[in-house]
Amino acid sequence: MSLGLLCFRIGDAYNALVEQVHEDATAAFDELDEDERAWREEARLDSEFAIGEMLRLALNLDYGDEIGRRKMFQLVQRMLAQDVLPEALLTRCLDVLRVLSPSERDLIRIVVEVVHELRDPSDPEAEAEAEAEAEAEAAMKGDVDDAETEMGSPRRPQRPAQLPKPVAEMSLEEKARADAVDLRCLALCIGMLERVNSTFEENSTLEGILGELIIPAVKRREMALRKKGLISLGLCCLIARRMALSSFQLFLSQVQAAPEVLKIRVLQIIFDILMVHEGAFLGPGSPNGDKIVDFLLQLLEAEELERVQALLVVGISKLMLSGMVTDERVLQTLVLVFISPETVGNQELRQCLSYFFPVYSYSSAANQQRMCKIFVPLYERLVKAYHEWDGEDDMVTPAQVALMFVDWTDPIRAGDTAKGLRKDCEKDPVHLDLATDVIKALFSTAYDKEDKKALCQMLGKLYLPGEVDGDKVRMLKLLLNNLRSVEEGDAGDIIIVNEDPTPVTLAIERKDATQPFIEYADIYEDVKEECVRYGSVEDLRIPRPVKKAKAKWGEGRESAIAAQRAASSA
C-alpha cells in the first residue's frame, strides 16, 4: 500500500468516526433503545480499532516520498489537535509523529503547540487570514525556508497568547469544558514524555507546560486531574534530576491518604524515580536512604489493600535484585510477608516472591550470605507467631521454612541454576555458616522440643564443602561439644539437655596434627571469647604439636572428661 493511499484511508475512517461521535453526543442518541446503543458503541470501537491498526502500519512505511510524508504529518497533527480524538488512538498518533519528527525537540515543540491550541482555541477565519498574510509576506521577501517548519509544513504565525478566563468567572459548562480540555492536554503530555529520552534541561519548551498545566493540575482536588498531573510530574522527574530531588517528598506525602487508584500510580512513580536516579536516593552516600527504606517497610506492614501490597512487594523486590537495597530488615520482612497466612489470597504477591527468593539467592554468594544471616532471627519470630496463631488459615510450619532456607542457601543449586555464571560454588561455605548459626540457636531455651527437632533435621540436609577454613570447623566442633548430653525422646526426637551446673572442660582435637597453628594466640582468644558467651570457662586447652610434656593433656577426649569429673568430686 502506498503512503498517499494509506493517508487517504486513515483520514476517511477518522472523519467517519468523528461524525459518529458527534451523532452520539446529540439528544437523539438518548432516545435509542439499549440494543441500538450497544450496536453503535460496538461499531465505534471497531472503527477505533481499524484506525489504530492503520496507524501501526504507518510506523513501518518508507517515508522517502516527501509528498506522502507531508500528508501523513499534517493528518496526524490535525488528529491530535482535535479534542474528539479517542484516547486509545492518542498514543498511536504520537508514535507516528515520533517517526516523522527529525528529533525529540521537534516532537516536543509540535505537542506543545497542540496543547496551546487546545487550551486557547482561536477563530478559524481569523487564523486562516493570518496564515495567508504570513505566507504572502514571506513570498514577497523570498524567505521560503523560514515560512516552513523542518517537517515541510507551513509555519503557523505567532499570535499573542490570551490570558485564560478566571475560574471564578466561568459557568458550570465552561468549567466542565476547561477540565475536559486539561485532561486531554495532560494525556498528550504523558504520551509525549513517555517517548522522550533527552533531559528536561535540553528542552526548554517543557518549562511552559510544566508551570501552566502540570503544576496547577497537581494542586486540583478533582481526582482525574490530580492523577494525570502527578503522572506528568513524575515523568518530568525521570528526565530531570533536580526536579526529582525537590518533588520526591511530594509523592511520599500523596501516598498516605490517597485512594487505591491514586496510591498505585504514585507508588509506581516513586519506584521509577528510585530506579532511574539510584545514586541520588539510595546510593552509598545518600543521607535519606535509610529513611526511604523505613518508609517503604512501614507502608508494607500497615497496608491492607492487596493490589497495593503486591505493588510494594514488586517494587522492593526490584530494588533488592538490582543491589540498590541491601538492608537485611527488608529481606526478613519479605520472607515474613511471603509465609504470612494473611497473604494467602494475594496470588500476585505470592507469585512475585516465589520467583524472587530463588533468583535473589542464586544470583550471588553475597545474597546467600544475607539469607543465612536472617534465618535465626526470622526463625525466632516465626516460632513465636506460629504458637500464637489461632486463625482459620493454616500457617507455614517452622520446619517448612527451615527447608526453604536450606534450598535457597544451597551453593550447589546456585551453581546449577546460574549455569556457569558463578564459579567454584561447591567451595562456598555458606551452609557451614548456617550450621554454626543453627547450633548456636539450639542453646536457646525459647524453643520447645518440636522447634529444636526442626533445626536438628535441618542440619542433616546441609552441604559442607571439601575445603573449608580450619577456624570455622573448630568453632563448629566446639559448639557441638558444648551440647553436653544428647538423649533419645519417647518418639525418637532429639532433645538437647544441658542442666548440669558443673563447669565443662572442652578438649578440641585435631585430626591432622602435622600442620602447626600459625596464629595460635588469635585462635585461642577467639575460641575463648565464643565460649564465654555460653557460661564461665573453667579451662580451655587447644592442643598443638609439642616435643615435651604431652602427658599433661592426656590421650584424647575421655581423659579430659575424667580429669574434669575427678576435680569436681574432690
Side-chain angles (χ1 to χ4, degrees):
M1 181 181 292
S2 64
L3 186 57
L5 180 59
L6 181 61
C7 291
F8 174 76
R9 294 292 187 186
I10 295 176
D12 188 46
Y14 178 71
N15 292 332
L17 178 62
V18 171
E19 291 180 3
Q20 184 177 354
V21 171
H22 288 310
E23 290 178 0
D24 294 344
T26 59
F29 181 77
D30 299 333
E31 300 177 357
L32 300 176
D33 56 6
E34 294 183 0
D35 294 338
E36 185 68 19
R37 292 181 183 179
W39 180 83
R40 293 182 66 87
E41 180 69 19
E42 185 177 356
R44 184 180 62 81
L45 293 177
D46 291 341
S47 300
E48 291 182 11
F49 177 77
I51 297 173
E53 292 303 310
M54 286 190 287
L55 290 172
R56 178 182 293 182
L57 179 63
L59 293 175
N60 302 317
L61 293 180
D62 183 13
Y63 289 96
D65 181 9
E66 182 65 20
I67 298 177
R69 184 184 66 84
R70 291 192 180 188
K71 287 183 178 180
M72 180 64 72
F73 174 78
Q74 293 173 359
L75 172 63
V76 173
Q77 188 177 21
R78 190 180 82 249
M79 292 171 63
L80 289 173
Q82 296 182 2
D83 54 359
V84 296
L85 177 69
E87 194 164 341
L89 299 177
L90 193 64
T91 55
R92 298 290 176 85
C93 292
L94 288 173
D95 289 334
V96 176
L97 191 62
R98 183 183 182 183
V99 173
L100 295 174
S101 301
S103 64
E104 290 184 352
R105 186 177 299 230
D106 290 293
L107 174 65
I108 294 173
R109 178 185 57 79
I110 294 168
V111 174
V112 170
E113 288 180 358
V114 172
V115 169
H116 285 306
E117 288 182 6
L118 289 172
R119 301 193 73 200
D120 185 20
S122 58
D123 187 3
E125 296 181 358
E127 185 176 356
E129 293 178 359
E131 289 182 359
E133 293 177 0
E135 291 177 0
E137 184 178 355
M140 291 177 62
K141 293 180 179 179
D143 191 4
V144 179
D145 294 336
D146 292 341
E148 295 183 351
T149 63
E150 296 182 12
M151 300 302 304
S153 60
R155 186 178 298 276
R156 300 185 179 179
Q158 298 291 332
R159 51 188 176 86
Q162 300 178 1
L163 293 177
K165 189 176 182 180
V167 180
E169 300 178 3
M170 292 183 181
S171 62
L172 294 178
E173 295 181 357
E174 291 177 341
K175 289 181 181 179
R177 170 66 181 173
D179 292 344
V181 171
D182 287 344
L183 286 173
R184 169 48 60 92
C185 293
L186 288 171
L188 277 171
C189 293
I190 292 172
M192 173 194 65
L193 292 170
E194 288 175 346
R195 290 157 179 80
V196 171
N197 295 319
S198 56
T199 62
F200 190 89
E201 290 76 14
E202 294 175 354
N203 301 283
S204 57
T205 315
L206 294 174
E207 296 180 359
I209 59 173
L210 177 66
E212 298 175 4
L213 178 63
I214 298 177
I215 298 299
V218 173
K219 299 179 181 179
R220 295 289 295 271
R221 295 183 178 181
E222 292 80 1
M223 183 60 60
L225 284 169
R226 186 151 61 100
K227 176 184 175 182
K228 289 195 174 182
L230 288 171
I231 296 174
S232 301
L233 182 59
L235 292 172
C236 290
C237 291
L238 295 182
I239 59 175
R241 186 184 183 91
R242 295 181 181 178
M243 189 184 302
L245 291 172
S246 60
S247 303
F248 191 73
Q249 186 62 38
L250 170 65
F251 295 115
L252 295 181
S253 61
Q254 292 288 328
V255 177
Q256 300 294 335
E260 181 179 2
V261 178
L262 183 60
K263 184 180 292 187
I264 290 175
R265 299 299 297 178
V266 174
L267 284 175
Q268 290 174 346
I269 294 170
I270 290 175
F271 285 118
D272 287 343
I273 292 176
L274 292 177
M275 293 293 293
V276 173
H277 305 291
E278 53 177 316
F281 296 97
L282 297 174
S286 176
N288 299 321
D290 294 336
K291 294 181 180 179
I292 295 174
V293 172
D294 293 338
F295 174 80
L296 294 176
L297 289 179
Q298 293 175 3
L299 194 62
L300 179 59
E301 293 174 357
E303 187 58 50
E304 297 180 356
L305 299 174
E306 291 188 354
R307 291 184 60 192
V308 180
Q309 285 180 347
L311 178 60
L312 283 168
V313 167
V314 171
I316 295 174
S317 300
K318 290 180 179 179
L319 296 177
M320 294 289 294
L321 283 174
S322 62
M324 297 170 58
V325 175
T326 57
D327 196 336
E328 296 176 2
R329 297 175 303 155
V330 180
L331 192 58
Q332 187 172 348
T333 302
L334 290 179
V335 178
L336 290 174
V337 171
F338 179 56
I339 63 179
S340 174
E342 298 178 355
T343 60
V344 172
N346 197 340
Q347 297 300 323
E348 183 179 358
L349 182 147
R350 287 293 183 99
Q351 184 178 6
C352 171
L353 290 179
S354 63
Y355 173 80
F356 163 74
F357 286 118
V359 173
Y360 177 80
S361 301
Y362 300 154
S363 60
S364 69
N367 292 343
Q368 285 191 322
Q369 287 291 344
R370 293 191 188 97
M371 298 295 291
C372 176
K373 290 180 181 178
I374 70 169
F375 172 70
V376 173
L378 179 67
Y379 191 81
E380 294 178 359
R381 296 180 60 180
L382 176 62
V383 166
K384 183 178 179 181
Y386 182 76
H387 292 303
E388 295 177 354
W389 175 252
D390 56 354
E392 297 180 357
D393 297 326
D394 295 335
M395 187 174 180
V396 180
T397 63
Q400 291 174 329
V401 176
L403 294 179
M404 290 180 187
F405 272 84
V406 170
D407 182 70
W408 292 338
T409 57
D410 190 353
I412 302 301
R413 287 288 303 274
D416 296 339
T417 306
K419 296 180 180 179
L421 296 179
R422 285 182 58 179
K423 298 181 180 179
D424 298 331
C425 292
E426 66 277 0
K427 297 181 181 180
D428 289 340
V430 58
H431 268 185
L432 183 62
D433 298 335
L434 183 59
T436 303
D437 295 338
V438 169
I439 295 174
K440 290 179 182 179
L442 290 172
F443 288 94
S444 174
T445 59
Y447 302 134
D448 60 11
K449 180 177 65 175
E450 293 296 329
D451 302 332
K452 291 186 177 181
K453 176 183 176 181
L455 292 177
C456 292
Q457 291 176 344
M458 175 183 178
L459 291 174
K461 302 180 183 302
L462 299 180
Y463 167 79
L464 301 182
E467 299 179 2
V468 295
D469 187 5
D471 294 343
K472 292 185 177 182
V473 176
R474 286 187 289 272
M475 179 61 65
L476 184 62
K477 187 171 184 180
L478 172 65
L479 294 172
L480 289 173
N481 290 336
N482 203 20
L483 297 175
R484 292 192 51 218
S485 59
V486 179
E487 63 183 20
E488 296 292 332
D490 296 337
D493 300 334
I494 302 298
I495 305 174
I496 308 300
V497 180
N498 191 10
E499 298 178 353
D500 190 355
T502 305
V504 181
T505 301
L506 300 178
I508 303 179
E509 301 176 2
R510 301 180 66 240
K511 293 183 179 180
D512 188 3
T514 60
Q515 298 295 330
F517 285 118
I518 299 177
E519 299 177 353
Y520 179 82
D522 294 338
I523 295 175
Y524 184 89
E525 292 298 330
D526 293 341
V527 174
K528 184 176 181 180
E529 181 180 355
E530 187 67 25
C531 293
V532 170
R533 297 175 54 186
Y534 303 99
S536 59
V537 179
E538 183 71 19
D539 188 14
L540 175 63
R541 303 181 187 181
I542 303 178
R544 55 179 175 174
V546 292
K547 295 181 180 181
K548 298 180 180 179
K550 291 185 179 181
K552 290 184 179 181
W553 179 248
E555 299 296 335
R557 181 171 179 269
E558 295 297 331
S559 61
I561 296 177
Q564 171 197 344
R565 292 176 178 173
S568 61
S569 61

